[in-house]
Amino acid sequence: MQQREEKQLEASVDSLISRVAHVKNALHSFIYKLENEYERLTWPSVLDNFALLSGQLNTINKLLKNEKTPSFRNQVIIPLLLSPDRDEDLAKLTEQRVPVFSHEIVPDYLRTKPDPEVEEQEKQLSAEAARIGPEVAQKQIQTLNKLCSNLLEKLNNPRDDRDAESAAIRQNKPSFNPADTNALVGAVAFGKGLSKCRPPGPVAPGHPGQGPMMSGGPTLQQVTIGGGSAQQAGMGGSVAQQPQGQPGRRPGELGKMPSSIKTNIKSASGSMHPYNR
């Protein structure tokens, strides 16, 4: 009976070691892809690797829960030899992770309970959970479930719907101010809102009896014919009037002005034009 149990235990341990080796190889391959092939790695390939690992872990759990598998919790591991010297067989068996089986590392590798600090924190959390009443705990559970549901709803929404909502928000948001546009059009087309101040500079004095004259505007000429005076305003100069009844003159024909005609021309050359060019 004892011999059969020992054989069954050895077979279970060998099977467990084989399954763990498969998990180790899958993890090693996945980590290698993440570190060296991340540029070509696609999301479906990542999901396939996760699915492979999940399936292998489920297989180990089924193996441990099998009726033919003895309960490993009832087995006790006792270190028979502790030495500070390097053990080549142990290093080869553990892939150079545990080269020495000494008093320093045995408590960590053969520990069946958590670390004292972790165990103390676990006790504190258990005590805090015991102090919370059923009603408070139920409210906290409902709040957490609500948050998780909202998060899952946002994650499950298609990307196209989010893009459509973003595009609609951008279209509905105005990109200009109608009041500013109308003010700009009024200022350009009708001069609305522009200041009416004159540019700084001297203004040419006008003749008595004349209205206000813009500086740099049309020159004013005073033509005296036979003692009489006539005033004309013209753009860039004036044309002297020809006396009526003068012989030898055709309409539109220019000639030498008689010596009896005296001219008095005032030029606004010293003044400034409001729109200097």
Side-chain angles (χ1 to χ4, degrees):
M1 184 70 177
Q2 185 177 1
Q3 211 171 21
R4 189 184 66 179
E5 291 180 356
E6 289 180 357
K7 290 183 178 180
Q8 190 175 3
L9 179 61
E10 291 179 0
S12 300
V13 170
D14 293 340
S15 177
L16 184 60
I17 291 174
S18 176
R19 300 293 181 182
V20 172
H22 291 327
V23 174
K24 184 190 70 173
N25 293 332
L27 280 173
H28 179 74
S29 176
F30 185 38
I31 292 173
Y32 179 82
K33 290 180 181 179
L34 291 176
E35 291 179 350
N36 300 289
E37 301 178 1
Y38 57 90
E39 295 180 354
R40 301 188 303 271
L41 196 63
T42 59
W43 181 245
S45 177
V46 174
L47 294 179
D48 292 340
N49 285 274
F50 275 118
L52 177 61
L53 293 172
S54 177
Q56 291 175 347
L57 292 176
N58 288 331
T59 302
I60 292 176
N61 288 330
K62 289 180 180 179
L63 177 63
L64 295 175
K65 294 178 181 179
N66 192 0
E67 295 179 356
K68 296 182 179 181
T69 302
S71 178
F72 292 102
R73 293 184 177 180
N74 298 331
Q75 307 298 326
V76 180
I77 299 177
I78 301 175
L80 300 179
L81 178 62
L82 299 177
S83 174
D85 300 333
R86 180 181 176 85
D87 190 348
E88 296 296 337
D89 294 336
L90 182 62
K92 183 179 179 180
L93 183 64
T94 59
E95 297 181 354
Q96 306 298 326
R97 289 192 298 271
V98 186
V100 178
F101 201 65
S102 62
H103 298 77
E104 184 179 358
I105 64 173
V106 163
D108 294 332
Y109 282 94
L110 300 183
R111 185 186 300 277
T112 57
K113 295 177 64 176
D115 292 338
E117 296 178 358
V118 177
E119 190 174 2
E120 186 66 25
Q121 292 179 359
E122 186 177 358
K123 289 181 180 179
Q124 292 178 1
L125 293 175
S126 300
E128 291 178 0
R131 288 198 301 267
I132 298 176
E135 297 180 357
V136 178
Q138 189 66 26
K139 289 181 180 179
Q140 292 181 357
I141 292 173
Q142 292 178 357
T143 303
L144 181 60
N145 290 335
K146 186 177 180 180
L147 293 175
C148 293
S149 300
N150 294 335
L151 181 59
L152 289 175
E153 184 178 357
K154 291 181 179 180
L155 293 175
N156 292 329
N157 283 337
R159 182 177 179 181
D160 297 338
D161 294 345
R162 294 196 297 269
D163 294 342
E165 291 177 0
S166 300
I169 292 174
R170 287 195 299 269
Q171 290 178 359
N172 295 332
K173 185 177 180 180
S175 59
F176 65 95
N177 190 349
D180 294 343
T181 303
N182 295 332
L184 181 60
V185 172
V188 174
F190 308 105
K192 185 178 180 181
L194 299 179
S195 61
K196 298 181 180 180
C197 61
R198 292 184 179 181
V203 180
H207 290 279
Q210 295 179 358
M213 181 180 64
M214 293 180 62
S215 61
T219 60
L220 181 64
Q221 294 184 355
Q222 182 179 7
V223 182
T224 305
I225 303 176
S229 64
Q231 294 181 356
Q232 280 188 333
M235 294 297 294
S238 63
V239 180
Q241 295 182 353
Q242 182 178 357
Q244 296 181 359
Q246 184 178 2
R249 290 284 187 268
R250 295 181 181 177
E253 183 179 359
L254 297 176
K256 185 177 180 181
M257 295 295 294
S259 60
S260 61
I261 300 176
K262 299 180 180 180
T263 61
N264 185 11
I265 302 175
K266 272 196 173 182
S267 175
S269 59
S271 61
M272 292 179 62
H273 199 278
Y275 303 101
N276 293 325
R277 297 182 180 177

